[in-house]
Amino acid sequence: MKNITAILVDDEISNLKGLQKKIESFFPEIEILGAFQKPEEAIEALEKQEVNILFLDIQMPRINGFELLSKLKDVHFQVIFVTAYSEYAIDAFKKSAIDYVLKPIDNNDLTLAIKKALGAIKLKEENASNLKLVNLLEETVSKNNKIIIPTQKGVSFIPQEEVFHLEGYEG
């Protein structure tokens, strides 16, 4: 897995610092690109940088966490809401949050949320890698006019001009 990056957004500096310390302590492989008290600055950073995980408070002055997400052009990262308000949980999951951690932050809850996000990131990377492989195979086959035939030992690439009849069966 490539380097994992994160951005933290919370209007209270003590919450930001506490969350940052916990992440750095439990998951030193996560690089925190920024910790923002002002949602507007976080939006700017999220638009400019490749981010894997966004830790986001909901109740903030001027722009709440949901509004912040709606202002972004593309949400291609995992979102973990970190908030003191449990009543927003359903809305958070409707906004495709990977998890929801209540303040004060329980270390186990935070660890589980981050592990869930890391799992989703890994799966996304594997899917992208598999798609590249499939595209490469399709390109190779089409350029060389070959047919891919699954066999017991794997796959065979047979030139189309050598195929007169093709039949399959399950055995």
Side-chain angles (χ1 to χ4, degrees):
M1 195 183 306
K2 63 180 175 148
N3 288 343
I4 301 300
T5 58
I7 284 185
L8 289 52
V9 184
D10 194 313
D11 60 311
E12 295 180 33
I13 191 70
S14 60
N15 290 337
L16 270 179
K17 289 184 184 233
L19 178 59
Q20 185 166 353
K21 279 185 181 179
K22 286 177 186 265
I23 294 168
E24 289 171 347
S25 173
F26 303 143
F27 294 90
E29 70 272 22
I30 296 177
E31 179 187 356
I32 297 174
L33 300 176
F36 300 94
Q37 283 185 271
K38 295 179 181 173
E40 300 86 352
E41 292 174 0
I43 291 168
E44 192 175 312
L46 288 163
E47 293 287 349
K48 289 180 180 177
Q49 301 176 56
E50 183 67 30
V51 177
N52 299 111
I53 306 173
L54 171 63
F55 294 87
L56 182 60
D57 188 15
I58 293 178
Q59 281 288 22
M60 297 181 287
R62 297 178 314 282
I63 300 174
N64 70 37
F66 298 127
E67 292 168 335
L68 182 149
L69 288 176
S70 67
K71 289 180 181 289
L72 296 170
K73 293 178 190 123
D74 183 27
V75 178
H76 54 275
F77 43 79
Q78 302 301 313
V79 179
I80 298 175
F81 282 102
V82 182
T83 184
Y85 301 95
S86 62
E87 63 267 22
Y88 294 116
I90 292 172
D91 288 334
F93 289 111
K94 285 181 181 176
K95 293 282 186 184
S96 301
I98 191 80
D99 215 333
Y100 191 93
V101 178
L102 285 174
K103 296 176 190 172
I105 297 172
D106 176 80
N107 291 344
N108 289 333
D109 290 346
L110 180 63
T111 299
L112 288 172
I114 293 173
K115 284 182 178 178
K116 196 185 296 184
L118 293 175
I121 292 164
K122 183 178 179 189
L123 183 62
K124 188 176 177 182
E125 287 176 358
E126 287 171 357
N127 287 342
S129 179
N130 289 342
L131 184 60
K132 285 179 186 176
L133 180 60
V134 167
N135 289 338
L136 180 63
L137 278 172
E138 286 177 350
E139 187 179 310
T140 302
V141 169
S142 67
K143 280 183 180 177
N144 297 318
N145 291 327
K146 293 188 178 185
I147 297 174
I148 302 174
I149 306 294
T151 66
Q152 287 180 335
K153 293 181 181 178
V155 293
S156 292
F157 298 89
I158 301 174
Q160 289 179 8
E161 62 271 4
E162 292 179 16
V163 178
F164 298 107
H165 178 80
L166 187 62
E167 189 174 317
Y169 70 95
E170 281 189 54

